[in-house]
Amino acid sequence: MKTIFSIFALKTLTISHPERICVNGFCDFWNCNTGNARENTSNRNCFKMSNEFSILSVCLNILRVRNLANFAGLLQIRHFLVIVIMISCIDVYAQQSQNDIRRDSVIFYIDRSFAGKEIDTTLLIRADNLLSSQPFDSVMARRLMKAAEGLKARKKMAFFYFFQKFILNYFQLTGKSTDKQAFIYSIIDHYNETKEVLERPAFLTALLDAEGDVVYFTNSLHRYLSRNDSDAVSLSYFRLAAIYHRKGLYDLEIYNLKKSRSYLNRNEITQDGTITGLYGWTNHTGLMGSLSNDIGDYEGAISLSIDARDARINGLKDSSNVAYTSCNITYARLMMGQTDSVKELLECAEALSDRYHDHPALARCYEMKGFYYLKTDQLDSAEHYLAKCRELVDGFPYRPWSPAGMHLVNYYLAQVRVRQGRLKEAKLLLEKEIPLLEKRRMEQLKEYKLLIKVSLELGDAAGVRDVFNQYTEIQDELRDDTRKNRVTSFETEQKIAGAENIISDLEAQQKISQLTRNFLTGFALLLILVVFVIFNRFMVTRKQKVIIETEKKRSEELLLNILPEEVAAELKLNGSAQAVQMDQVTVLFTDFKGFTSMSEILSPQELVRELNECFSVFDSITEKYGIEKIKTIGDAYMAAGGLPTSNETHAIDVIHAAFEMRDFIEQAKARKFAAGLPFFEIRIGIHTGPVVAGIVGVKKFSYDIWGDTVNTASRMESSGEVGKVNISQTTYEILKDKPGFVFESRGQIVAKGKGEIEMYFVSKV
């Protein structure tokens, strides 16, 4: 038993006092073992430790399995069991202590490597090797952070760079996002102060990981533009693009990615892992290809994805990410109806994904295969590959999107179920996936549209109403965010433009100095150019005169198409047109009922075509009755009679024009109703009174009228009914004794902002 306690004491001494083992701290602890300690007698600092461990190793080896039988004969069985338990506990404690010593050794090597005026790269490499072989845990992170704080106080920020990835992993592991961002900003701020070359990779990596807002990265752009730091400018634009991506503003994201890419040097191949040089260029180009698919620019998506793929293969000599770009190309071709060679492209992408064990890319390949078979009506194959994609997505901790784009597995599966007639399953798939899309509102809107269609086919009226309300809410939210962020983006660009102008001024000064050195050569070339211009000018004068006359005639015709002839003549004569008070004018307003609902049903092209058809007929009607068209506002049409030249028949002319407009819409409604197509219904309001007419501004002239009469006419329209012409008391007094009209009194009607107004419906006899 004395032997056992001696072994325990030796083991405890070794663990508790490592400084007695190796005088220089702990740098070669693991090299001093039984096998080489006596051979390495020149290392006196390790000699004592070696002897102690030699004794300890001999004692421990006695207790190994191969020697247990001999040793068990020397002691009683109960003593042997106690010995085995004690030695096992000691080994566990010794292993933990050895890990602690390795951690301390890493810190020791780093501290010593920065002790002199120049960095000792040998010690730094030794520390890096130790750190890479050491299992990372919270204990390691805490020790590194404590040592980092000490070195930071001594202005040795390079230590932060060396352990950056490990410390950031620790924050990620423990969920300390606030501490993580504080650490990132400390790296950025310190580099901005010192601009130390050694710290630059750490700075660029930190800038990429920073989670600032638009204001933060706008200020960063201003700072780095003034320093002409193109890599930092590129990363700042890249982070702005990420912010807009989270908001679902893909066009702004593409714009910032283009700006980021424009500051990258395609001829530079970096080795530090940052998104700069050719690597950054291919990354941004591939992302832009994916986003082009999201906004429906499929030709642009194909072009960008091919550029990214070729640059990665030919420039970087790397095919690890080619699967993503191939999937982007596949999606674009399928959306354009081009199924040729798509299958072969996907087979190649799948092989590359499997080769590099890239599970997100492989999941994307399966998804695109499913989409391909869906497009070609091979529903069983589509279901098979979509199920394989779902298995990968569910088996790994993915978000619903990858660098190749969104994973919309249930969306495609739902389309398969719809074609199979299994509508209830399709509905369940969509209801399960929509909440997973988080703030990806464009994708949510797409899935809500399909869910509305499925619910309608199921006859679920209540479900359709709820889904439509959610669809409308997201659409309104997206519209509001778009408007707000476009304003913010404009202000951001104004600030950035100011910084870019500063850079341009500096570059201009450099160019001026260069031009001064080459003044004589430039002056000679300028003389030659002037002679050539004068001769050329002389030869083409007649031709230019013809062109000028043609353009003048065209501009006059365009002006007459915008302004009344009298106003246009005054504008050409005086350079301006005076506003005119018209004592009695009849103003007409029309508006289509259900226009917003139709805009949800019809495509933008179809909606504009329908409006153009109606307003073109309205233009012909107003011209027929000598009425002046004022303007269109969305789906509203405004015209007035009795201007710019007064007449006595303006009220009658406007009423007849209103009848013809109404009759045209009613006829179109009947035709479209019979054909099962959506149709417009019209409300018309008319009021007579004084107005002020004229043009304002100096650009984009527009003839307009102002006054309470215009507001009242608008209220006549909004207070009217579909298919009827609603007029005010004033207009009624003018027309009541005229033959050919029938009036229906509506009494006092409350109009918004006007109170109660006497109104009448007028119709033909």
Side-chain angles (χ1 to χ4, degrees):
M1 291 302 292
K2 290 182 179 180
T3 303
I4 300 304
F5 286 117
S6 298
I7 294 172
F8 180 78
L10 285 171
K11 190 82 171 182
T12 304
L13 174 64
T14 307
I15 294 168
S16 303
H17 302 284
E19 69 280 359
R20 292 184 58 187
I21 300 171
C22 189
V23 174
N24 69 353
F26 24 71
C27 57
D28 288 317
F29 166 82
W30 44 91
N31 292 326
C32 302
N33 51 47
T34 307
N36 64 8
R38 287 171 181 158
E39 295 177 5
N40 189 18
T41 55
S42 61
N43 191 348
R44 297 181 180 181
N45 293 329
C46 295
F47 182 76
K48 184 176 182 179
M49 181 276 296
S50 300
N51 284 323
E52 290 175 344
F53 268 87
S54 297
I55 298 171
L56 179 61
S57 298
V58 171
C59 296
L60 291 176
N61 285 334
I62 293 174
L63 299 178
R64 299 300 179 190
V65 175
R66 61 180 180 271
N67 296 322
L68 286 179
N70 296 332
F71 190 70
L74 303 176
L75 298 171
Q76 297 180 7
I77 296 300
R78 65 177 183 273
H79 292 160
F80 174 71
L81 293 176
V82 172
I83 292 169
V84 170
I85 294 172
M86 290 179 64
I87 295 301
S88 299
C89 295
I90 293 170
D91 277 344
V92 171
Y93 181 57
Q95 182 64 38
Q96 182 62 41
S97 179
Q98 191 176 30
N99 288 340
D100 291 341
I101 292 173
R102 289 192 182 206
R103 298 186 190 103
D104 293 338
S105 299
V106 171
I107 297 170
F108 172 80
Y109 281 132
I110 294 296
D111 196 10
R112 290 292 298 274
S113 66
F114 293 107
K117 293 183 179 180
E118 296 183 358
I119 298 174
D120 189 335
T121 56
T122 302
L123 293 176
L124 199 61
I125 292 172
R126 186 178 296 182
D128 188 29
N129 292 334
L130 276 176
L131 191 59
S132 300
S133 64
Q134 173 66 30
F136 185 80
D137 55 16
S138 59
V139 176
M140 166 68 87
R142 284 195 298 270
R143 292 203 178 198
L144 293 181
M145 281 298 296
K146 184 176 180 181
E149 290 297 327
L151 288 175
K152 181 181 177 182
R154 298 192 325 242
K155 307 297 183 184
K156 295 180 179 179
M157 283 293 294
F159 181 86
F160 268 30
Y161 160 57
F162 195 79
F163 291 116
Q164 181 181 11
K165 59 181 179 180
F166 295 98
I167 296 173
L168 291 178
N169 284 341
Y170 166 66
F171 287 134
Q172 192 74 25
L173 180 70
T174 57
K176 297 181 178 180
S177 58
T178 303
D179 293 341
K180 176 181 177 180
Q181 288 303 309
F183 176 69
I184 287 172
Y185 289 135
S186 70
I187 296 174
I188 295 173
D189 294 340
H190 190 271
Y191 177 80
N192 287 333
E193 292 177 5
T194 64
K195 302 179 184 60
E196 180 66 39
V197 176
L198 184 64
E199 297 172 18
R200 183 166 177 78
F203 157 70
L204 293 175
T205 304
L207 189 61
L208 182 63
D209 290 333
E211 296 181 359
D213 55 10
V214 173
V215 175
Y216 176 81
F217 287 109
T218 301
N219 294 333
S220 297
L221 282 169
H222 195 282
R223 179 188 303 113
Y224 303 133
L225 280 168
S226 64
R227 291 198 329 222
N228 203 19
D229 189 340
S230 58
D231 287 341
V233 170
S234 175
L235 287 175
S236 298
Y237 271 119
F238 183 75
R239 294 301 298 146
L240 282 172
I243 293 171
Y244 289 124
H245 181 79
R246 290 195 296 270
K247 295 176 180 292
L249 303 174
Y250 297 145
D251 55 341
L252 289 177
E253 181 182 5
I254 291 176
Y255 169 78
N256 281 279
L257 282 174
K258 286 181 179 178
K259 294 287 285 186
S260 177
R261 191 179 67 165
S262 68
Y263 283 91
L264 295 175
N265 181 6
R266 287 189 63 179
N267 298 320
E268 179 186 7
I269 300 178
T270 56
Q271 302 294 334
D272 53 16
T274 55
I275 306 181
T276 55
L278 182 58
Y279 177 79
W281 192 93
T282 58
N283 178 77
H284 295 4
T285 306
L287 286 176
M288 288 161 59
S290 177
L291 290 168
S292 296
N293 275 332
D294 292 335
I295 64 175
D297 181 12
Y298 303 120
E299 292 184 354
I302 292 174
S303 176
L304 288 166
S305 298
I306 290 175
D307 289 345
R309 181 189 64 188
D310 293 346
R312 180 169 286 276
I313 294 175
N314 300 325
L316 295 175
K317 310 299 181 184
D318 177 19
S319 58
S320 60
N321 248 5
V322 171
Y324 289 128
T325 53
S326 298
C327 287
N328 288 336
I329 296 170
T330 297
Y331 181 84
R333 287 182 177 174
L334 289 175
M335 293 303 294
M336 295 171 67
Q338 303 172 3
T339 57
D340 297 340
S341 72
V342 165
K343 189 175 181 181
E344 292 77 6
L345 188 63
L346 283 174
E347 294 290 349
C348 179
E350 183 180 349
L352 285 171
S353 303
D354 191 54
R355 172 184 173 186
Y356 290 103
H357 305 291
D358 191 342
H359 296 295
L362 189 59
R364 184 65 170 172
C365 290
Y366 288 151
E367 184 178 15
M368 286 298 98
K369 272 196 169 183
F371 185 43
Y372 164 73
Y373 286 119
L374 176 64
K375 282 286 187 180
T376 55
D377 291 325
Q378 302 179 57
L379 300 184
D380 291 340
S381 297
E383 184 175 356
H384 170 73
Y385 281 104
L386 290 172
K388 292 184 73 173
C389 176
R390 170 55 61 196
E391 182 180 349
L392 272 179
V393 171
D394 292 342
F396 293 88
Y398 296 157
R399 290 183 174 184
W401 57 91
S402 78
M406 296 293 299
H407 285 304
L408 302 176
V409 187
N410 285 7
Y411 176 69
Y412 297 124
L413 274 174
Q415 294 183 58
V416 173
R417 296 290 181 258
V418 169
R419 295 190 186 183
Q420 294 173 338
R422 298 154 67 177
L423 299 178
K424 291 184 178 180
E425 295 181 29
K427 182 180 179 183
L428 291 174
L429 287 168
L430 293 170
E431 289 175 343
K432 182 179 179 181
E433 186 167 74
I434 289 174
L436 299 177
L437 298 179
E438 298 181 2
K439 292 296 183 180
R440 265 53 185 186
R441 293 174 293 197
M442 296 296 291
E443 286 73 18
Q444 284 181 326
L445 290 175
K446 182 165 64 174
E447 299 214 5
Y448 272 128
K449 283 185 179 179
L450 181 57
L451 184 56
I452 291 172
K453 177 182 176 181
V454 172
S455 300
L456 283 172
E457 293 186 15
L458 286 171
D460 184 4
V464 170
R465 184 169 54 253
D466 293 340
V467 174
F468 184 77
N469 289 337
Q470 292 172 339
Y471 173 84
T472 305
E473 181 180 345
I474 292 175
Q475 196 175 45
D476 293 341
E477 183 184 74
L478 182 60
R479 188 183 299 112
D480 292 341
D481 278 358
T482 301
R483 184 177 64 255
K484 293 176 183 176
N485 283 282
R486 290 194 192 290
V487 173
T488 303
S489 178
F490 174 76
E491 294 172 349
T492 299
E493 283 305 307
Q494 291 295 101
K495 294 180 180 178
I496 295 170
E500 289 179 332
N501 288 336
I502 294 173
I503 303 301
S504 298
D505 291 341
L506 293 174
E507 292 176 349
Q509 292 177 4
Q510 295 175 354
K511 289 180 180 179
I512 290 172
S513 62
Q514 183 178 358
L515 287 173
T516 302
R517 291 191 299 268
N518 301 312
F519 175 77
L520 294 177
T521 304
F523 183 75
L525 292 174
L526 181 60
L527 286 177
I528 295 172
L529 181 61
V530 168
V531 171
F532 174 80
V533 169
I534 292 174
F535 178 78
N536 184 66
R537 184 74 176 175
F538 175 78
M539 295 297 294
V540 300
T541 300
R542 291 184 179 181
K543 184 178 179 179
Q544 287 180 341
K545 286 183 178 180
V546 174
I547 295 174
I548 290 171
E549 290 297 329
T550 303
E551 292 297 325
K552 181 179 179 181
K553 182 179 179 181
R554 186 181 301 171
S555 64
E556 288 180 352
E557 291 174 351
L558 180 61
L559 187 62
L560 290 175
N561 191 40
I562 298 173
L563 304 175
E565 185 175 356
E566 296 86 347
V567 177
E570 182 183 359
L571 183 64
K572 288 192 293 181
L573 182 63
N574 302 323
S576 62
Q578 297 294 325
V580 179
Q581 172 74 37
M582 308 298 293
D583 294 329
Q584 197 170 56
V585 171
T586 300
V587 181
L588 172 145
F589 269 93
T590 74
D591 187 55
F592 293 124
K593 178 187 176 184
F595 178 81
T596 303
S597 301
M598 285 191 67
S599 66
E600 297 287 343
I601 300 172
L602 299 177
S603 69
Q605 293 81 3
E606 292 172 336
L607 186 65
V608 172
R609 186 167 59 248
E610 291 288 332
L611 283 176
N612 182 62
E613 179 185 355
C614 295
F615 288 166
S616 296
V617 174
F618 289 2
D619 290 345
S620 300
I621 293 172
T622 56
E623 185 177 9
K624 173 183 175 182
Y625 288 99
I627 300 170
E628 188 68 24
K629 173 188 175 181
I630 304 301
K631 59 184 172 182
T632 61
I633 311 166
D635 60 323
Y637 187 93
M638 178 182 175
L643 55 77
T645 303
S646 300
N647 60 57
E648 298 295 329
T649 63
H650 55 84
I652 297 175
D653 296 336
V654 171
I655 291 295
H656 284 301
F659 288 159
E660 287 199 24
M661 293 176 181
R662 178 197 61 189
D663 294 342
F664 168 77
I665 295 300
E666 290 297 322
Q667 293 168 8
K669 172 184 174 182
R671 290 196 308 271
K672 293 179 180 180
F673 181 81
L677 298 174
F679 52 83
F680 286 136
E681 294 178 299
I682 194 169
R683 292 191 300 265
I684 302 176
I686 298 172
H687 176 60
T688 304
V691 299
V692 175
I695 60 175
V696 294
V698 294
K699 291 185 178 180
K700 296 184 179 180
F701 293 119
S702 175
Y703 184 73
D704 208 346
I705 58 176
W706 302 272
D708 186 67
T709 299
V710 178
N711 297 332
T712 304
S714 176
R715 296 294 178 263
M716 292 298 105
E717 174 273 319
S718 60
S719 301
E721 294 181 4
V722 171
K724 294 187 177 182
V725 179
N726 190 35
I727 65 174
S728 66
Q729 176 75 30
T730 307
T731 308
Y732 168 76
E733 293 297 334
I734 297 173
L735 298 174
K736 66 181 180 179
D737 297 326
K738 305 294 182 182
F741 300 115
V742 177
F743 301 92
E744 177 186 349
S745 176
R746 302 182 64 198
Q748 297 283 333
I749 304 296
V750 177
K752 182 179 179 181
K754 305 297 292 183
E756 294 184 348
I757 302 177
E758 189 74 18
M759 300 184 189
Y760 297 83
F761 286 140
V762 60
S763 58
K764 293 184 288 188
V765 175

